Amino acid sequence: MSEHAKAGEQSSPITLVEAVTQALAYELKHDPDVVVFGQDIGANGGVFRATDGLQSSFGTDRVLDTPLAENMIAGIAVGMATQGMKPVAEFQFMGFIYPGLDHILSHAARMRNRTRGRLSCPIVYRAPYGGGIHAPEHHSESTEAMFAHIPGLRVVVPSSPARAYGLLLAAIRDPDPVLFLEPKRIYRAARQPVPDNGEALPLDSAFVLREGRDLTLVAWGASIKETLAAAERLATQGIEAEVIDPATLKPLDIHSIIDSLEKTRRCVVIHEAARFGGLGAEIAAQIQEYAFDLLDAPVQRVTGYDTVMPYYQLETAYLPGVERILAGARVALDYARQSGREGRK
Amino acid sequence: MHKPRLQLQASFDIAYLQYLDQQGRATQPLPDFATPDWLTYCLRQMQLARLVDDRAVKLQRTGRLGTYPSTLGQEAIGVATGNALMAEDIYCPYYRETGALLERGVEIEEILAIWGGDERGQNFEHARKDLPICVPIATQMLHAAGVAFALRHRHQQRGEPLQVAVASSGEGATSKGDFYEAMNLAGVWKLPMVFVVNNNQWAISVPRTAQTATQTIAQKAIAAGMPALQVDGNDIVAVAWAVRDAMMRARCGDGPALIEALSYRLCDHTTADDASRYRSAEELEQAWQWEPIRRLETYLRNQNLWSDANQQDMERELAQTMEAALNNWESRAPEPSTAIFDHLYAQLPEGLYEQYDQLRDEQAGVERQ
């Protein structure tokens, strides 16, 4: 997929978090069934200002501060959605979703199936996620794999302002529950013109962020930043890496990754989350199931460690940086199968 | 030791309501809605609920139904609650609600389907917007709060009459955070919502006294700033009055209320339970003295509103209703196994086609053998 921002010359560049606000405002304006709620999202505009100005524009009936109970936020969204509303609920940080997991897993993701289509849950659960902003404990985790494991749920992670806008519109319009994880480390990392045209992006297609013939790098969220930097470094060595952002972790567009492997035959998956049972394992498993013969090297995983996410003094050591990605890329590039195929230089 | 002088900051009380006592005598004049027709209708519905429960337990014992939670002894709460809702109100039930479900128009065969392991039972033919029965404890109360928000939103946006969400639970559920969180939100957002707690004294094996130190369950609502009433839950007139009154308040925009209905679980928790492991035969025998059906029947007989002939006619009619439902349930073709994919998402993601095909082919293979 190419991005739709081509027509954006006339709009001024905005950040990822501003693109989130822009998408919420667009849907609030165009769909009377949309309500936005969470902790401190009203007058305060959310702790990251993702809902800045929405309450004054759309009123306290549609943009609501809730009492402080994450489980409650998750649960009332289910009830609202069954009656035809489109709740967009904010959790202040991903690390605080877990009290509401029961409602997401046991109800939102199952309501359509349980009632054989009689009721459904078109909910968006939004949460800032990931590390790297020197936050206190529980503010930096990446546990997207836990949620991607849940049948009936969608998991979406944007990595640019344009994708945040288009994917959030799609998530709100989708008839099923979506966990929308916003990589807070890059909330304000870059600006990009994002025309407020209400155009959604598909929820089942990966994005090719950089084309290349030698190696496929798969990453999402804030890790895209280091992955693109690593691709730049590889380019200086004459190695052209293709960078793919799946963006919708569930359902996963494995086809785009395999299409890339047709060219490159080598793959590295990068994520902040712990390695064991992470999305990298799923992607590697699907690649070997569907494209074993394409591979010239085992799929490499460059990830956070299987440790507790550290307090911020050590978080940089934990997070996969450019050097760790390059090391993983080097293993994939140098690998030579016994069959005699040679590794690339 | 020094004792500081304290000032009374707030005070509360919990009232109790009963119209018919254990012997079926009116303790006060009955409310206007309790006409002879309404009372005999309630007697029928309670007996129907008891019959459905009885047959369902027997079906489980003979291996034709899965685990089943009977409502034996608590029929008045379900029937009175379900009866108090208008068609457009939304009911958010827990799993022990035979009487209320029947009042909402849920078919007996749908109830059997649910406990017979078939999701189609939750696809209610009537009561299309009611929530399905909820198995995880107390979660339905938060859903009901969300429903109540949606009902008020619709009322505000489209000028439709304000409708009410009603959540039911057992008393064990009032120990959970979901219960407190739902009450807290309903109170502070003044949601059109009613909580009906079936205090049947037992949460599986844990008695009411081990569940909470509060004097009543009803008083838990005080902390959320909402009115609460304790009623004799085996007196269908008392339950009906309380639920109707609470719903009228909610319908007028005066916010939520909670009703604690005192009853007793005369049955095991479910067919998978054996209550004789944890409670005495004497206690059970004692509890049978105040069960709700005989009480109403006695009252009606004393008023010359019910006779042996009436009872026999009703039993015959209910048996026919039950047989017809059983036949409908048993004659329904099983769902194709691929149904497990059909309602997972509005549209099946392409990545699941392979699994769908695998299951379909696997089943075709099984059928060929």
Side-chain angles (χ1 to χ4, degrees), chain A residues 278-328:
Chain A
L279 260 296
E282 177 64 30
I283 293 169
Q286 290 201 29
I287 290 171
Q288 64 86 16
E289 279 170 3
Y290 297 121
F292 183 71
D293 288 338
L294 287 179
L295 292 175
D296 279 348
V299 176
Q300 298 299 305
R301 288 181 288 165
V302 175
T303 67
Y305 295 104
D306 287 336
T307 65
V308 174
M309 180 78 197
Y311 281 21
Y312 72 78
Q313 290 278 343
L314 297 179
E315 76 175 335
T316 311
Y318 172 89
L319 294 170
V322 175
E323 294 307 325
R324 203 183 299 167
I325 297 170
L326 288 173

Side-chain angles (χ1 to χ4, degrees), chain A residues 32-35 37 61-62 64-85 102-103 106-107 109-119 150-154 174-177 204 250-252 255 289-290, chain B residues 90 118-120 122-140 142-147 149-151 153-154 156-158 176-178 181-182 184-185 188-189 335 339-347 349-351 354:
Chain A
D33 290 328
V34 171
V35 284
F37 56 91
D61 289 339
R62 300 190 61 208
L64 301 99
D65 281 322
T66 63
L68 205 168
E70 291 85 359
N71 176 58
M72 180 271 294
I73 291 171
I76 61 172
V78 171
M80 291 176 184
T82 60
Q83 306 304 311
M85 298 197 72
D102 192 15
H103 289 280
S106 302
H107 295 295
R110 299 170 72 123
M111 190 62 76
R112 180 188 294 282
N113 179 70
R114 170 190 293 146
T115 61
R116 287 298 186 254
R118 179 168 65 85
L119 300 174
I150 300 172
L153 191 66
R154 292 175 185 271
D174 191 82
D176 292 304
D204 56 3
K250 187 167 194 182
L252 178 71
H255 298 300
E289 279 170 3
Y290 297 121
Chain B
I90 303 294
D118 180 350
E119 283 93 339
R120 288 178 299 179
Q122 301 266 36
N123 186 4
F124 305 151
E125 191 180 334
H126 314 291
R128 296 290 295 164
K129 302 302 277 183
D130 278 9
L131 297 195
I133 62 151
C134 186
V135 174
I137 300 301
T139 51
Q140 74 281 1
L142 281 171
H143 304 162
V147 168
F149 178 90
L151 294 176
H153 187 78
R154 200 152 59 205
Q156 287 167 343
Q157 301 262 312
R158 304 182 202 163
K176 272 197 73 172
D178 291 72
E181 291 175 9
N184 184 59
L185 186 77
V188 73
W189 281 7
E335 233 182 352
I340 66 175
F341 288 102
D342 289 342
H343 303 284
L344 192 55
Y345 298 92
Q347 202 172 4
E350 212 184 304
E354 189 182 311

Side-chain angles (χ1 to χ4, degrees), chain A residues 89-91 93-94 97 125-129 179-182 187:
Chain A
E90 175 178 303
F91 296 103
F93 289 87
M94 186 179 204
I97 291 183
Y125 293 114
R126 294 178 43 243
Y129 101 121
L179 180 68
F180 194 82
L181 298 172
E182 298 164 9
Y187 254 158

